[in-house]
Amino acid sequence: MSPAIPAPAPALYLNQARNSPSVQECMSIYDKWAATYNDEVGDEAQNYVAPVLVAQAAIKFEKSNGAANSIILDAGCGTGLVGQALSIAQPKAIDGIDLSVPMLDIARDTGVYRDLDQADLNQPINKPDGTYDTVVCVGTFTLGHVGPNPALRELLRVTKTQGVVVATILDEIWITHGFKDEVAQMKEEGLVNSSEELIDYVKGHGDKAVLLILEKLSQV
Ligand SMILES: C[S@@+](CC[C@H](N)C(=O)[O-])C[C@H]1O[C@@H](n2cnc3c(N)ncnc32)[C@H](O)[C@@H]1O
């Protein structure tokens, strides 16, 4: 009998996902990682602070906008860490989309999502224009995952005018992969106001992300 092959450590899964040569490969890594993702990434020892920071920024924007009972899309929702962080504030309807069905299955078990669907964010999103008050996207604009086109405009398209997109973009790809230019272009077209802040993505790990807030001014 051949010896059992040990499961890769979380850093190995993350490195593999960030080096994915294709959407299919990225999906198969998350399919394998789903069962242990929360224990490894979601625990306090890992200091993965991005989900809470994005949820706090979204809730702050909603409060300043006077929004209540908002409808939210969690794009790249994974196992639901962001939905859980969002749901502590006030009643909401939260929908999630993600590439990996096993990740979506874990998100479903949290009980905080209204609808969960499989979707590839490198493609147009199968949702009508102006559906959501708030769209969040955490940890998904990163190496080997999702690029700026068409995803940023698609997230904006499904957001209501006066609504907001709050996303993290791994700092090392913010300029090199065209995110900064795409945001500048959308500003020039009068579609958004934007703010960008450098945050800890994983505390104490050296990973930084741009926390991007896009306030939608007009329909894409
Ligand atoms: C690092 S995890 C982040 C998950 C969750 N937002 C969090 O903060 O815990 C990245 C997620 O992006 C998803 N993903 C990767 N490529 C994607 C794509 N092309 N379209 C949609 N989701 C994708 C993965 O399945 C995974 O759930």
Side-chain angles (χ1 to χ4, degrees):
M1 199 170 78
S2 55
I5 300 165
L12 196 51
Y13 277 133
L14 185 60
N15 286 338
Q16 285 176 355
R18 286 187 176 177
N19 286 299
S20 303
S22 67
V23 170
Q24 193 60 37
E25 177 71 20
C26 189
M27 181 167 71
S28 81
I29 291 161
Y30 279 100
D31 287 355
K32 283 182 268 178
W33 194 3
T36 53
Y37 180 91
N38 279 357
D39 293 339
E40 293 153 356
V41 172
D43 76 356
E44 285 179 17
Q46 291 292 324
N47 290 318
Y48 178 43
V49 290
V52 168
L53 292 178
V54 166
Q56 286 171 345
I59 290 163
K60 190 171 159 198
F61 182 90
E62 287 179 351
K63 278 193 178 145
S64 71
N65 227 12
N69 301 326
S70 51
I71 303 175
I72 300 179
L73 177 66
D74 182 2
C77 62
T79 56
L81 297 178
V82 186
Q84 287 176 289
L86 282 166
S87 66
I88 56 171
Q90 60 188 38
K92 299 173 167 62
I94 309 174
D95 294 342
I97 51 176
D98 198 278
L99 188 61
S100 163
V101 169
M103 295 291 272
L104 288 164
D105 288 342
I106 309 264
R108 191 166 292 108
D109 289 343
T110 66
V112 304
Y113 290 93
R114 180 179 70 171
D115 284 321
L116 288 161
D117 292 303
Q118 188 182 29
D120 176 2
L121 286 166
N122 289 308
Q123 303 294 329
I125 298 171
N126 187 22
K127 305 268 186 192
D129 295 357
T131 305
Y132 296 100
D133 298 289
T134 299
V135 174
V136 292
C137 184
V138 180
T140 304
F141 289 125
T142 187
L143 284 162
H145 288 51
V146 178
N149 297 305
L152 284 177
R153 278 174 199 262
E154 277 294 284
L155 295 187
L156 206 60
R157 182 185 64 73
V158 301
T159 305
K160 294 175 185 169
T161 302
Q162 311 304 329
V164 71
V165 176
V166 185
T168 62
I169 293 122
L170 189 68
D171 185 41
E172 68 178 278
I173 65 168
W174 166 245
I175 294 173
T176 55
H177 286 49
F179 288 91
K180 187 178 179 192
D181 283 350
E182 179 65 352
V183 170
Q185 180 63 36
M186 291 193 296
K187 275 166 92 167
E188 206 172 296
E189 292 171 28
L191 299 177
V192 292
N193 281 331
S194 86
S195 76
E196 297 111 34
E197 182 193 344
L198 201 59
I199 61 162
D200 270 329
Y201 187 63
V202 179
K203 222 174 189 169
H205 185 271
D207 253 353
K208 295 273 180 192
V210 173
L211 174 64
L212 175 67
I213 301 184
L214 297 175
E215 186 182 350
K216 182 169 172 177
L217 301 178
S218 65
Q219 189 53 48
V220 182

